[in-house]
Structure formats: C-alpha cells, structure tokens
Amino acid sequence: MTRTRPMQPLVAGNWKMNPTARSDALMLARAAAATAARHQAVTTVICPPTVFLAEVAAEVGPSRLAVGAQTMAAEERGAFTGETSPLMLAGLAGFVIVGHSERRANDGETDEGVAAKVASAVAHGIRPIAAIGERIEERRAGRTEEVVDRQLHAAVSRLEAIHGSGLVIAYEPVWAIGSGEAASPADAQVVAARIRELLGTVDADAAPQVPILYGGSVTGDNARAFFDCPDIDGALVGGGSLDAASFEAIVAAAEAAAAHRRTPSAEATRS
Ligand code: PEP
C-alpha cells in the first residue's frame, strides 16, 4: 500500500551546546537560511542554544528557515530554575525538541515529562519533535520495539488528537547519536514503520501525515539512503548541522529524494 507523504521532508539541525560564540551562531544561522532558500521543497529547521534563540530568529527574519528550541518546560511559569517557558518560546520558536536522549540521560527527562512537554508545546502552537530510541544494551537484548512502543505511547498520551497537533517523531537510536555509526537504513525503516503503525492505532487518519525523522550520525553521504525509505520523512541532525556545507548536503538530499518520488516512474515502482 502506498502512503501519502507529509507535504515536505523535514530536516532539523540540533546544535546542542554549540557554537559557543554568538557571532558563530549568527553566521551558521545565515548559512542555514541560505540553504533553506535554495531548497524550498524541504522544511528546514535549526535549533540553536536557547541563549541565541531570539537573536538567531531576528537574524534569519521571515525566511524559509524555521527556528526551534532544544527543550522547554511543560509549565508556563513558576519556580523552575534554568528552564524556558512555552510562553517565552511561542512566537519565537516554531518547533521544540522534546525527550532528546541526552536530556533523558543527563537531565532526568522521563516518559511522563515528555508527555507533558509534548502536550504543552502543542497547546502553545509549537510543533514538538519528540525524540525516541533505544540504548545499545536494549537493542542487544532485542528490546528495541518494546522501548520505542513505550516511549511513543507516552509521548502522545496527553494529546487530545494527533490530527492538527503538528507532531513530529524523531527515531534516534541512542547508540547512533554522535558515534559516527548510523543505523542501517533498513533497520531504521523497520522501526519507523512500527512507529507509524502505532500512531495509526491512536489516529488512523493522521498517522500517514506525521513526519517521522531518523536521527543518529546522519551525513551528506548517508542521508539519501534514509530519505528513500518509505516511512522516513527527514532527519534530526546533530554534528552534521554544525557545518554549513554538510547541513546543506543533507537538506539537498532530502529535496532530491522528494523530487525522485514525484517522478511517474518512481510512483510506479512504489505501488
Ligand atoms: C542528535 O543529537 O539528535 C543527533 C542525531 O546527533 P548526531 O547527528 O551528531 O548523531
């Protein structure tokens, strides 16, 4: 069965705690804006450190490039030292990464916390990019599906509906993040298909339209193989988003894969 893809592939750059200098952040943002302008068939997103968010958003202005946050609090206000309220992000960030494995491992982010943040982001008009994925010991123990099922169910558990939520799921096997050892596209596709199947049990109509990204050591060289997978609609990119040329190569690969799918012969091959 063929599926109608989301409107556009989506490539999001997670800058993590980089770059440390404001001038470098603005330069990288300008380069990403130029990339987004050159590849308008791709939804291109950058997620800079929170401290640079406002300036980066102002720098890129109204452009094809979307700006996202790397995390946020579920709560609107109060005694949450160091946190950022969705009220502060609304109007500034179009997206927010929620549940990144580094935050799960280092900052005690739980499935329940992810559920609250996903719901809060949606309530504030910010598209959540919910990151899920298994650790290496879980994969070795054959528990990938169980872990992904649990994290996905939790992530959507407090949404009233998936339709209209703007939800994005990023499948990021933890062992592939920053390791230089990406998952095989075939393995990533198996998990992406499982994620879509689970989304379908929650909302059968919306599931085909939810962008599912692969994340974990994506480069300009390996990106296309992921984008050619039927259930992978883009990428969440860490290290590869910190180099303007490499980020552009990944965005260009997403655009080329989408263009290829639109050709009549590609359609015939898929159906
Ligand atoms: C990430 O941090 O979400 C990520 C995928 O990192 P990298 O691309 O560096 O593996």
Side-chain angles (χ1 to χ4, degrees):
M1 195 179 73
T2 55
R3 108 174 215 264
T4 312
R5 295 245 186 186
M7 293 291 280
Q8 305 231 110
L10 195 159
V11 175
N14 173 16
W15 292 2
K16 313 194 189 196
M17 205 165 66
N18 305 290
T20 53
R22 169 187 168 277
S23 55
D24 290 341
L26 296 181
M27 196 164 63
L28 200 52
R30 281 193 294 274
T35 290
R38 279 191 286 269
H39 304 284
Q40 299 195 3
V42 180
T43 300
T44 305
V45 185
I46 53 169
C47 301
T50 309
V51 71
F52 297 137
L53 206 54
E55 267 193 285
V56 161
E59 184 75 14
V60 302
S63 70
R64 306 293 302 195
L65 181 68
V67 175
Q70 297 176 15
T71 184
M72 63 166 221
E75 298 79 7
E76 289 189 338
R77 54 177 59 77
F80 299 100
T81 302
E83 290 290 353
T84 308
S85 160
L87 293 175
M88 298 166 185
L89 293 179
L92 193 61
F95 292 81
V96 61
I97 302 169
V98 171
H100 191 282
S101 63
E102 286 153 15
R103 293 203 59 87
R104 291 181 193 258
N106 305 331
D107 301 279
E109 195 131 301
T110 61
D111 284 347
E112 294 69 32
V114 171
K117 290 182 181 194
V118 166
S120 176
V122 171
H124 291 86
I126 304 167
R127 294 184 67 181
I129 302 176
I132 60 178
E134 82 286 0
R135 299 195 304 266
I136 190 64
E137 61 273 22
E138 293 165 332
R139 170 160 282 250
R140 288 195 180 124
R143 294 181 50 222
T144 298
E145 195 173 297
E146 170 202 324
V147 171
V148 166
D149 285 13
R150 191 198 74 232
Q151 293 181 343
L152 182 74
H153 273 302
V156 301
S157 62
R158 289 179 56 175
L159 284 182
E160 280 172 19
I162 292 179
H163 179 77
S165 67
L167 176 71
V168 179
I169 300 293
Y171 168 55
E172 297 207 304
V174 179
W175 46 272
I177 295 177
S179 66
E181 189 200 333
S184 75
D187 282 353
Q189 163 57 27
V190 167
V191 180
R194 172 72 187 161
I195 290 169
R196 199 170 304 286
E197 182 187 330
L198 287 174
L199 289 170
T201 64
V202 181
D203 186 337
D205 291 336
Q209 294 302 310
V210 175
I212 298 178
L213 315 182
Y214 166 75
S217 298
V218 174
T219 66
D221 291 335
N222 66 18
R224 176 66 192 263
F226 291 104
F227 301 150
D228 281 338
C229 295
D231 286 291
I232 296 178
D233 305 305
L236 181 55
V237 186
S241 68
L242 294 173
D243 175 81
S246 127
F247 192 54
E248 169 128 22
I250 295 166
V251 173
E255 188 168 66
H260 176 74
R261 279 195 298 275
R262 283 195 301 273
T263 61
S265 55
E267 282 303 321
T269 321
R270 284 196 302 130
S271 43

PDB file of all heavy atoms in Angstrom, residues 66-87:
ATOM      1  N   ALA A  66      12.987  27.666   9.550  1.00  0.00           N
ATOM      2  CA  ALA A  66      12.270  27.705  10.818  1.00  0.00           C
ATOM      3  C   ALA A  66      13.278  27.570  11.958  1.00  0.00           C
ATOM      4  O   ALA A  66      14.346  26.972  11.809  1.00  0.00           O
ATOM      5  CB  ALA A  66      11.253  26.575  10.886  1.00  0.00           C
ATOM      6  N   VAL A  67      12.918  28.155  13.081  1.00  0.00           N
ATOM      7  CA  VAL A  67      13.792  28.107  14.250  1.00  0.00           C
ATOM      8  C   VAL A  67      13.088  27.317  15.343  1.00  0.00           C
ATOM      9  O   VAL A  67      11.877  27.457  15.540  1.00  0.00           O
ATOM     10  CB  VAL A  67      14.120  29.545  14.715  1.00  0.00           C
ATOM     11  CG1 VAL A  67      14.930  29.539  15.997  1.00  0.00           C
ATOM     12  CG2 VAL A  67      14.888  30.284  13.617  1.00  0.00           C
ATOM     13  N   GLY A  68      13.845  26.458  16.012  1.00  0.00           N
ATOM     14  CA  GLY A  68      13.270  25.635  17.069  1.00  0.00           C
ATOM     15  C   GLY A  68      14.109  25.712  18.333  1.00  0.00           C
ATOM     16  O   GLY A  68      15.266  26.157  18.303  1.00  0.00           O
ATOM     17  N   ALA A  69      13.518  25.269  19.435  1.00  0.00           N
ATOM     18  CA  ALA A  69      14.250  25.187  20.705  1.00  0.00           C
ATOM     19  C   ALA A  69      14.660  23.732  20.933  1.00  0.00           C
ATOM     20  O   ALA A  69      14.097  22.809  20.336  1.00  0.00           O
ATOM     21  CB  ALA A  69      13.363  25.678  21.844  1.00  0.00           C
ATOM     22  N   GLN A  70      15.641  23.545  21.813  1.00  0.00           N
ATOM     23  CA  GLN A  70      16.135  22.184  22.077  1.00  0.00           C
ATOM     24  C   GLN A  70      15.394  21.495  23.211  1.00  0.00           C
ATOM     25  O   GLN A  70      15.494  20.283  23.396  1.00  0.00           O
ATOM     26  CB  GLN A  70      17.625  22.234  22.393  1.00  0.00           C
ATOM     27  CG  GLN A  70      18.474  22.734  21.243  1.00  0.00           C
ATOM     28  CD  GLN A  70      19.934  22.865  21.600  1.00  0.00           C
ATOM     29  OE1 GLN A  70      20.401  22.337  22.610  1.00  0.00           O
ATOM     30  NE2 GLN A  70      20.674  23.575  20.773  1.00  0.00           N
ATOM     31  N   THR A  71      14.690  22.274  24.002  1.00  0.00           N
ATOM     32  CA  THR A  71      13.870  21.742  25.085  1.00  0.00           C
ATOM     33  C   THR A  71      13.011  22.885  25.594  1.00  0.00           C
ATOM     34  O   THR A  71      13.187  24.039  25.181  1.00  0.00           O
ATOM     35  CB  THR A  71      14.716  21.168  26.243  1.00  0.00           C
ATOM     36  OG1 THR A  71      13.840  20.571  27.223  1.00  0.00           O
ATOM     37  CG2 THR A  71      15.548  22.240  26.918  1.00  0.00           C
ATOM     38  N   MET A  72      12.091  22.577  26.479  1.00  0.00           N
ATOM     39  CA  MET A  72      11.330  23.633  27.168  1.00  0.00           C
ATOM     40  C   MET A  72      10.673  23.006  28.381  1.00  0.00           C
ATOM     41  O   MET A  72      10.579  21.786  28.496  1.00  0.00           O
ATOM     42  CB  MET A  72      10.269  24.259  26.249  1.00  0.00           C
ATOM     43  CG  MET A  72       9.208  23.294  25.801  1.00  0.00           C
ATOM     44  SD  MET A  72       7.770  24.120  25.082  1.00  0.00           S
ATOM     45  CE  MET A  72       6.479  23.102  25.805  1.00  0.00           C
ATOM     46  N   ALA A  73      10.201  23.859  29.265  1.00  0.00           N
ATOM     47  CA  ALA A  73       9.417  23.374  30.402  1.00  0.00           C
ATOM     48  C   ALA A  73       7.996  23.106  29.935  1.00  0.00           C
ATOM     49  O   ALA A  73       7.524  23.724  28.982  1.00  0.00           O
ATOM     50  CB  ALA A  73       9.400  24.436  31.498  1.00  0.00           C
ATOM     51  N   ALA A  74       7.330  22.190  30.612  1.00  0.00           N
ATOM     52  CA  ALA A  74       5.907  21.987  30.313  1.00  0.00           C
ATOM     53  C   ALA A  74       5.082  23.105  30.938  1.00  0.00           C
ATOM     54  O   ALA A  74       4.041  23.500  30.414  1.00  0.00           O
ATOM     55  CB  ALA A  74       5.451  20.636  30.858  1.00  0.00           C
ATOM     56  N   GLU A  75       5.577  23.637  32.056  1.00  0.00           N
ATOM     57  CA  GLU A  75       4.825  24.645  32.800  1.00  0.00           C
ATOM     58  C   GLU A  75       5.003  26.033  32.185  1.00  0.00           C
ATOM     59  O   GLU A  75       6.029  26.329  31.585  1.00  0.00           O
ATOM     60  CB  GLU A  75       5.293  24.688  34.262  1.00  0.00           C
ATOM     61  CG  GLU A  75       5.071  23.394  35.021  1.00  0.00           C
ATOM     62  CD  GLU A  75       6.111  22.316  34.717  1.00  0.00           C
ATOM     63  OE1 GLU A  75       7.099  22.595  34.000  1.00  0.00           O
ATOM     64  OE2 GLU A  75       5.938  21.173  35.195  1.00  0.00           O
ATOM     65  N   GLU A  76       4.030  26.869  32.412  1.00  0.00           N
ATOM     66  CA  GLU A  76       4.096  28.221  31.837  1.00  0.00           C
ATOM     67  C   GLU A  76       4.964  29.169  32.671  1.00  0.00           C
ATOM     68  O   GLU A  76       5.588  30.077  32.140  1.00  0.00           O
ATOM     69  CB  GLU A  76       2.687  28.808  31.710  1.00  0.00           C
ATOM     70  CG  GLU A  76       1.868  28.128  30.615  1.00  0.00           C
ATOM     71  CD  GLU A  76       0.573  28.842  30.334  1.00  0.00           C
ATOM     72  OE1 GLU A  76       0.087  29.599  31.211  1.00  0.00           O
ATOM     73  OE2 GLU A  76       0.024  28.619  29.242  1.00  0.00           O
ATOM     74  N   ARG A  77       4.917  29.022  33.992  1.00  0.00           N
ATOM     75  CA  ARG A  77       5.663  29.957  34.843  1.00  0.00           C
ATOM     76  C   ARG A  77       5.893  29.301  36.202  1.00  0.00           C
ATOM     77  O   ARG A  77       5.283  28.300  36.526  1.00  0.00           O
ATOM     78  CB  ARG A  77       4.887  31.260  35.035  1.00  0.00           C
ATOM     79  CG  ARG A  77       3.465  31.084  35.551  1.00  0.00           C
ATOM     80  CD  ARG A  77       2.776  32.407  35.793  1.00  0.00           C
ATOM     81  NE  ARG A  77       2.677  33.241  34.605  1.00  0.00           N
ATOM     82  CZ  ARG A  77       1.786  33.058  33.609  1.00  0.00           C
ATOM     83  NH1 ARG A  77       0.917  32.057  33.669  1.00  0.00           N
ATOM     84  NH2 ARG A  77       1.758  33.855  32.576  1.00  0.00           N
ATOM     85  N   GLY A  78       6.814  29.907  36.944  1.00  0.00           N
ATOM     86  CA  GLY A  78       6.997  29.429  38.309  1.00  0.00           C
ATOM     87  C   GLY A  78       8.441  29.153  38.646  1.00  0.00           C
ATOM     88  O   GLY A  78       9.371  29.611  37.971  1.00  0.00           O
ATOM     89  N   ALA A  79       8.632  28.405  39.710  1.00  0.00           N
ATOM     90  CA  ALA A  79       9.958  28.162  40.267  1.00  0.00           C
ATOM     91  C   ALA A  79      10.622  26.996  39.535  1.00  0.00           C
ATOM     92  O   ALA A  79      10.670  25.870  40.028  1.00  0.00           O
ATOM     93  CB  ALA A  79       9.826  27.864  41.763  1.00  0.00           C
ATOM     94  N   PHE A  80      11.117  27.270  38.342  1.00  0.00           N
ATOM     95  CA  PHE A  80      11.780  26.240  37.533  1.00  0.00           C
ATOM     96  C   PHE A  80      13.109  26.806  37.058  1.00  0.00           C
ATOM     97  O   PHE A  80      13.256  27.250  35.894  1.00  0.00           O
ATOM     98  CB  PHE A  80      10.883  25.821  36.359  1.00  0.00           C
ATOM     99  CG  PHE A  80       9.568  25.237  36.801  1.00  0.00           C
ATOM    100  CD1 PHE A  80       8.412  25.994  36.793  1.00  0.00           C
ATOM    101  CD2 PHE A  80       9.506  23.934  37.291  1.00  0.00           C
ATOM    102  CE1 PHE A  80       7.211  25.473  37.233  1.00  0.00           C
ATOM    103  CE2 PHE A  80       8.304  23.397  37.737  1.00  0.00           C
ATOM    104  CZ  PHE A  80       7.154  24.170  37.721  1.00  0.00           C
ATOM    105  N   THR A  81      14.064  26.820  37.963  1.00  0.00           N
ATOM    106  CA  THR A  81      15.351  27.456  37.693  1.00  0.00           C
ATOM    107  C   THR A  81      15.995  26.917  36.415  1.00  0.00           C
ATOM    108  O   THR A  81      16.108  25.704  36.247  1.00  0.00           O
ATOM    109  CB  THR A  81      16.287  27.222  38.899  1.00  0.00           C
ATOM    110  OG1 THR A  81      15.661  27.744  40.055  1.00  0.00           O
ATOM    111  CG2 THR A  81      17.636  27.904  38.686  1.00  0.00           C
ATOM    112  N   GLY A  82      16.375  27.829  35.564  1.00  0.00           N
ATOM    113  CA  GLY A  82      17.083  27.448  34.343  1.00  0.00           C
ATOM    114  C   GLY A  82      16.190  27.031  33.195  1.00  0.00           C
ATOM    115  O   GLY A  82      16.678  26.789  32.091  1.00  0.00           O
ATOM    116  N   GLU A  83      14.909  26.928  33.434  1.00  0.00           N
ATOM    117  CA  GLU A  83      14.010  26.438  32.383  1.00  0.00           C
ATOM    118  C   GLU A  83      13.475  27.563  31.506  1.00  0.00           C
ATOM    119  O   GLU A  83      13.599  28.749  31.831  1.00  0.00           O
ATOM    120  CB  GLU A  83      12.826  25.680  33.018  1.00  0.00           C
ATOM    121  CG  GLU A  83      13.214  24.357  33.646  1.00  0.00           C
ATOM    122  CD  GLU A  83      13.606  23.297  32.612  1.00  0.00           C
ATOM    123  OE1 GLU A  83      13.452  23.549  31.403  1.00  0.00           O
ATOM    124  OE2 GLU A  83      14.075  22.228  33.024  1.00  0.00           O
ATOM    125  N   THR A  84      12.863  27.183  30.413  1.00  0.00           N
ATOM    126  CA  THR A  84      12.278  28.141  29.473  1.00  0.00           C
ATOM    127  C   THR A  84      10.799  27.814  29.309  1.00  0.00           C
ATOM    128  O   THR A  84      10.443  26.676  29.003  1.00  0.00           O
ATOM    129  CB  THR A  84      12.983  28.049  28.098  1.00  0.00           C
ATOM    130  OG1 THR A  84      14.398  28.159  28.311  1.00  0.00           O
ATOM    131  CG2 THR A  84      12.532  29.155  27.172  1.00  0.00           C
ATOM    132  N   SER A  85       9.965  28.814  29.502  1.00  0.00           N
ATOM    133  CA  SER A  85       8.514  28.614  29.436  1.00  0.00           C
ATOM    134  C   SER A  85       8.045  28.544  27.983  1.00  0.00           C
ATOM    135  O   SER A  85       8.568  29.260  27.121  1.00  0.00           O
ATOM    136  CB  SER A  85       7.819  29.788  30.127  1.00  0.00           C
ATOM    137  OG  SER A  85       6.472  29.881  29.715  1.00  0.00           O
ATOM    138  N   PRO A  86       7.011  27.737  27.727  1.00  0.00           N
ATOM    139  CA  PRO A  86       6.428  27.756  26.375  1.00  0.00           C
ATOM    140  C   PRO A  86       5.908  29.139  26.010  1.00  0.00           C
ATOM    141  O   PRO A  86       5.890  29.498  24.828  1.00  0.00           O
ATOM    142  CB  PRO A  86       5.297  26.725  26.450  1.00  0.00           C
ATOM    143  CG  PRO A  86       5.066  26.464  27.894  1.00  0.00           C
ATOM    144  CD  PRO A  86       6.343  26.754  28.597  1.00  0.00           C
ATOM    145  N   LEU A  87       5.540  29.924  27.017  1.00  0.00           N
ATOM    146  CA  LEU A  87       5.080  31.295  26.723  1.00  0.00           C
ATOM    147  C   LEU A  87       6.230  32.142  26.183  1.00  0.00           C
ATOM    148  O   LEU A  87       6.028  33.062  25.399  1.00  0.00           O
ATOM    149  CB  LEU A  87       4.510  31.956  27.984  1.00  0.00           C
ATOM    150  CG  LEU A  87       3.224  31.342  28.533  1.00  0.00           C
ATOM    151  CD1 LEU A  87       2.822  32.016  29.847  1.00  0.00           C
ATOM    152  CD2 LEU A  87       2.101  31.460  27.513  1.00  0.00           C
TER     153      LEU A  87
END
